[in-house]
Structures are given as structure tokens and as C-alpha cells.
Amino acid sequence: MVRIFSLSLLWVLCSATSIAQTIRFELADPQPDLIEVYSGSLGSGDIDGDGDQDLLMSGLTPGRETALYLNDGNGNFTEILPIPFPEASNTVTIFKDLDADGDLDVFFAGMGFNIQEFAHIYLNDGAGAFTQLANPALPSFQDGNAAIGDVDNDGDPDIVISALDKNNNFVADVYLNDGNANFTAMASTAFTAVKAGVLAFIDVENDGDADLIISGKKADNTASTILYLNDGLGNYAADTASVFEQLAADDLDVADIDNDGDLDILTSGVKDPFVIRTILYLNDGNGQFAELATANLQQTFTGTNAIADLDNDGDQDLVILGSQMGGIPNIFNIVYENMGNNVFVPTDTIGGEYIASCVLEDFNGDNLLDIIMIGFVANTNVYWNSSTILNSVDESIPLASVYPNPSNGSFFVESNTGQPISLQIVSINGSLIYQDDSLVGRKELALDLPSGLYFAVLRSEKISQRLKLIISK
């Protein structure tokens, strides 16, 4: 009787009702012929209107280099020569339609040869040819960052910059777009200017305007992370309700991570005195943020993060690149699968980079997001997404049975497939407790675990499933 109850309860709680998945990435072989760089940036977008994702990348080689590539739709890249963009490092690359003509323009800033800082706008002719447009109001910088969004709700994208400019002055301002990609400083005094930082737009209270979070190092070299609320017209004021850990963040990413209809924040960086942090803040729907203490993500700096649905199951997975404390060899690029209920499980490690950047797009046309990353350890690498997506799962046949459940930590796992499967026992915060990569038949486990909720993660060649386990003592 106990076994019948366990099976019915477990299968109700299993996640494989319509789509099952296993997130995996494979190092492209052969590698596309891209420049080998670090300490730069990547931008992607369909610049020539042919339906695939093209690529602009720049960085140190150790000299400075910039390259623009057209994609043939299958992940084969052809470099466009000559290009109007300067050879540069420490760059910011953002594709956006800045002049409302239906194609992607480029905001490109950074440091060129002989420490020549710049911040340029390039307009696209629709076929992927770019022409620089003079914008004297934009400050030239190489130690800062920018974000692009419609801050005043007039229908065109504006630019916010926080940086140390070429004259070593700290600047932080909104630059309003006239609709034709000509930008004018708003002379805002709302922001605490930071260098070596990151900016991200976020509508924190779902009121339709572009709020903003800025993180970096202030003029006194201390860390700062501040959320600014927008009144809908581009006038900002610092939010005093949410308290964020004061980081000099290397990255800020915004998405609805817990599928509750509001936007959450993922950030990594360093707080004083040199404590490395990766923090996932969840939004309560009213613009109040609290750290998810059970996230159990790798703590990194000098890297970058990404949030995306990597396995097409409708929720947001995570990619975290960078160095843990101590540097080499403690440098990892870890992919975390979103298991639901705010549980993230590391499913793949794809090399290790710091002073790193990455871009996630479907570059080879298989409807899965691939990763191109640059960094100091191995320079440029392309990883194809090889995640298994099964669109039709027979939910009446679980990969394995687990019984009894609840248990005191001693229970059986019995494979139902006749073929080897992978078994992981994972805590509610994503920590791996037990692993068997070749489970066949029945196996008894006796795990000395405290009372609480755990997961059994099961994988075959084509299917990934998870079951809830309850330990009660």
C-alpha cells in the first residue's frame, strides 16, 4: 500500500508531462573562424534582414581587434571587410534600431589604439553596411557602460551612460533620442556615477516605464548598487524601499526567473573588502526585492551571466561565467537548469573563462540557443546547444520508481526502462548529494539527510524527469 501511494504522489509531482529536456552544450568542432579575443564584448542581431543572427565582436588579442561577421544561417560566419568600427577593447556593443527605419543600428564604445576612448553611433542601411553618425553629446569613455531603452515613453530608444570619461571625470546621464538617432544630454542629477560598472533597465512595479539599476565603483573606489525609479518621463529617483548588497557588479541580468509575472535580477561581482558574490533577487510583484538565499549559485567575478530558456521548456535557465575566489584553476562556466520552485541545478560546465563576455543566440538554425564566449583563458569558443527536447512524453511511464516516500532517508530507486539511466539526488538549494550515472534495475540508498524536500533527477538518452522526495525523521 505504501508503494502505490508513493508512485501516484511522485508522478503527480513529476515535471515531464509535455516537454522533457536535458541541457547540454558541445564545443563546436570545427570551431567557426572568429577572432580570438578577451576583455571585449559581443553583439548579435540580424543586420542584413535574412533571418539569421550575425555577430560583432571585439577585444584584446593581446592587441586590439574588432570584426563583423555575417551568418549563413547554419553557424558559418564570413567576416565583412572593411568595416567602419575601430579596433578596440573594453567595449560596449549594443544592437538597436535607433532611427526607427526597421533595421539594427549599433552603439559601440570602448578604447581604441593609443588609449583613444570613443562612444559612437553607427546607422545601418538595411543590408548590413554601417555609417558613423556624429553625436557630440555622447561622452567618450572606456571604463563604463550603457543601457538603451525608451526612458521618456516617446517611442524611441534613449541611452543611459555611467562611466569614467576620457578626461577622468565621472559621468552619469540620460541621453534623449530625437527619433533620428541624434542624442542630447538630459542633465540628470539623479544618478551616482560609477566606473567599471553595468546598467540594466527593469520595470520593477509593472507600471510600463523603464526603471534602472546601476552597479559599479564610485569615485572613492567603493562598491555601489542602486535602483532608480522612473516617473515615466525619464526623471529618475533612487529607490529607498529595496536594499541591495553593495557590489561592484560585473554583470546585471533581468528576467522573470520564477514565472510569477514580474522581473527579477541576477548579479555577480565584488563587495568591499573583496568578497565575491553572485546574487539572485526575486521581485515580490510590488518592486520589493529579496535575495533567494537557497539559490546556491557559483560565486564569481570578472565574468558575465546570461538568463535564457535553454531547453525550450518555458522557464529561464542560467549561465554563469567567471572566476571564483583564488582565480586559476577555480574558473568555471556553469549552466544551471531551472527546475521550477526556485530550484537551480548545475547541468553542464563548458570550459572556464574570466575577463569574459558571452552572447546567447540560435546561430545554427536549430531553434536552440547557442553560446559564443570570449575570455582570458581560451579566448573565443563557440558551443552548440545539444539539449534533448522531447515534444511527446508518455507520462504514464516514469523512468524510475522511488519508494517509500516519505522515507527516513533509506529508500529504493528502481529503473523502469531496462536500460542504464542517470540518477542524481539534489537538495532544494541545488546541491548535488548523490549521483549514479549508470543505474540499472533496483538500488537501495541509505542517505543520512535532515528532514526536508529533495529531488531525484532522472535522465535517459532522450528524457529528463524529476521527482520530489520527502525525508521525514
Side-chain angles (χ1 to χ4, degrees), residues 54-66:
D54 308 303
L55 182 67
L56 174 61
M57 56 190 301
S58 58
L60 292 174
T61 61
R64 294 183 176 90
E65 195 166 355
T66 301

Side-chain angles (χ1 to χ4, degrees), residues 252-385:
L252 285 165
D253 292 276
V254 172
D256 183 5
I257 294 173
D258 52 2
N259 276 338
D260 64 351
D262 53 48
L263 294 174
D264 311 300
I265 299 170
L266 174 67
T267 184
S268 293
V270 177
K271 71 173 186 177
D272 305 320
F274 204 82
V275 176
I276 300 170
R277 296 283 281 124
T278 295
I279 305 173
L280 177 56
Y281 292 103
L282 297 183
N283 188 344
D284 69 356
N286 298 307
Q288 306 297 307
F289 293 87
E291 179 181 351
L292 178 63
T294 59
N296 199 38
L297 305 173
Q298 74 158 336
Q299 307 295 295
T300 60
F301 72 112
T302 64
T304 190
N305 305 325
I307 305 173
D309 184 0
L310 299 175
D311 48 8
N312 294 347
D313 66 348
D315 55 35
Q316 300 297 309
D317 309 297
L318 311 178
V319 181
I320 299 179
L321 285 65
S323 175
Q324 299 183 13
M325 184 66 79
I328 295 174
N330 304 313
I331 301 173
F332 306 100
N333 307 328
I334 300 180
V335 179
Y336 292 86
E337 182 175 355
N338 188 341
M339 309 298 286
N341 299 314
N342 296 323
V343 175
F344 297 89
V345 176
T347 62
D348 204 358
T349 299
I350 47 177
E353 295 293 350
Y354 70 109
I355 317 178
S357 298
C358 72
V359 61
L360 275 64
E361 293 284 2
D362 177 15
F363 289 107
N364 61 2
D366 63 355
N367 296 314
L368 290 170
L369 295 177
D370 309 302
I371 300 177
I372 300 178
M373 64 180 68
I374 59 175
F376 184 74
V377 175
N379 298 128
T380 302
N381 276 300
V382 177
Y383 290 85
W384 301 135
N385 190 336

Side-chain angles (χ1 to χ4, degrees), residues 144-147 159-163 170-174 188-202 210-218 222-229 236-239 244-252 254 265 267:
N145 220 314
I159 302 175
V160 181
I161 294 173
S162 181
F170 279 78
V171 296
D173 203 353
V174 176
S188 173
T189 60
F191 307 116
T192 297
V194 297
K195 66 178 180 179
V198 283
L199 301 81
F201 285 113
I202 175 172
D211 306 308
L212 182 69
I213 185 167
I214 302 177
S215 181
K217 289 186 176 182
K218 297 183 291 186
T222 60
S224 173
T225 299
I226 301 175
L227 174 66
Y228 299 91
L229 300 181
Y236 285 91
D239 178 35
F244 295 92
E245 196 149 339
Q246 294 305 292
L247 293 184
D250 299 299
D251 200 10
L252 285 165
V254 172
I265 299 170
T267 184

